[in-house]
Amino acid sequence: MEGESLEQWLPRREERQAQKVGRLRAGTLAQRPPRGAHVAPDAPRLISRWDGHTWRPVAVVADLPQARAALRAARNGLRALPDE
């Protein structure tokens, strides 16, 4: 099987991971397996930030609308969440 070597692939992967540092995501805090964001819109959400190696918890918000507002504000450069 032909393909790129690990030496060629690894720098590209590290560059992609570095570009994601600081990225935020929201996950449902519920007693069930993870599902789509639209499931249980009134459940609290955990906002996490990617640090280059793992997702670190940043904040908990009350529901889906607040999570979306916080993520949207962060994308637009506004301080909606505490810094780590």
Side-chain angles (χ1 to χ4, degrees):
M1 182 167 139
E2 289 186 37
E4 65 184 330
S5 68
L6 183 59
E7 291 79 21
Q8 294 170 328
W9 172 80
L10 189 57
R12 286 189 313 107
R13 180 187 182 278
E14 289 175 350
E15 176 64 28
R16 283 193 315 267
Q17 295 294 25
Q19 290 174 355
K20 294 178 184 178
V21 170
R23 182 177 166 204
L24 296 173
R25 74 176 183 183
T28 305
L29 291 175
Q31 296 273 327
R32 58 185 97 135
R35 297 186 181 194
H38 65 285
V39 177
D42 56 340
R45 300 297 203 264
L46 174 68
I47 308 291
S48 303
R49 180 177 285 125
W50 180 250
D51 70 1
H53 299 286
T54 188
W55 290 98
R56 301 277 181 188
V58 176
V60 174
V61 295
D63 55 19
L64 179 59
Q66 286 186 8
R68 286 183 174 167
L71 296 178
R72 190 177 314 113
R75 269 195 310 271
N76 293 328
L78 303 174
R79 288 194 65 203
L81 299 168
D83 292 329
E84 290 186 315

